[in-house]
């Protein structure tokens, strides 16, 4: 679903309730799995309990930007590659976005 096609009301709802949220969470898990890391191993790298990884992958804990950065880097990735994967998974066009309407 392209960002430009969403109404202001759709964009205004909390991300946890948006249809795209499961796709977002799946990319975090996919990065971990492609790095051949278990939840326990990633938790150790991030110095967090394993339950934090489970909660983040289920969406019951929301990650901030720096936590996402740490997660992706612990999995051997980078934010640019992760962002491109998110854009592709969401079907968002990378170029030619429309400017927000006033």
């Amino acid at each position: 679903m392209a960002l430009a096609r969403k109404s202001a009301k759709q964009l205004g709802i909390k991300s946890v309730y948006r249809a795209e949220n499961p796709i977002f969470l799946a990319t975090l898990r996919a990065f971990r799995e492609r790095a051949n890391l278990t939840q326990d191993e990633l938790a150790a790298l991030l110095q967090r309990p394993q339950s934090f990884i489970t909660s983040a992958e289920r969406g019951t804990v929301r990650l901030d930007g720096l936590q996402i950065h740490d997660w992706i880097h612990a999995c051997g990735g980078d934010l640019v590659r992760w962002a491109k994967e998110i854009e592709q998974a969401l079907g968002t066009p990378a170029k030619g976005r429309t400017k927000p309407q006033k």
Side-chain angles (χ1 to χ4, degrees):
M1 183 182 307
L3 184 63
R5 295 185 207 157
K6 292 185 182 230
S7 70
K9 185 175 183 179
Q10 288 173 311
L11 291 174
I13 63 173
K14 289 186 176 187
S15 59
V16 69
Y17 299 116
R18 289 178 53 176
E20 302 96 324
N21 196 46
I23 296 167
F24 176 85
L25 298 174
T27 62
L28 288 174
R29 182 176 181 172
F31 259 76
R32 176 182 60 78
E33 291 174 342
R34 282 196 303 269
N36 292 316
L37 293 172
T38 65
Q39 288 184 345
D40 283 324
E41 292 166 335
L42 179 58
L45 290 171
L46 297 176
Q47 299 179 354
R48 301 298 300 255
Q50 179 270 330
S51 60
F52 174 80
I53 305 301
T54 299
S55 296
E57 289 183 354
R58 289 183 178 172
T60 56
V61 169
R62 293 179 64 179
L63 301 177
D64 65 30
L66 290 175
Q67 289 171 316
I68 292 170
H69 171 271
D70 294 343
W71 181 298
I72 298 304
H73 281 266
C75 294
D78 63 73
L79 287 175
V80 173
R81 190 171 75 186
W82 176 74
K84 287 180 181 178
E85 189 171 317
I86 290 282
E87 293 290 323
Q88 184 178 14
L90 294 175
T92 308
K95 295 181 181 178
R97 294 184 191 266
T98 58
K99 292 183 180 179
Q101 296 178 350
K102 294 182 180 182

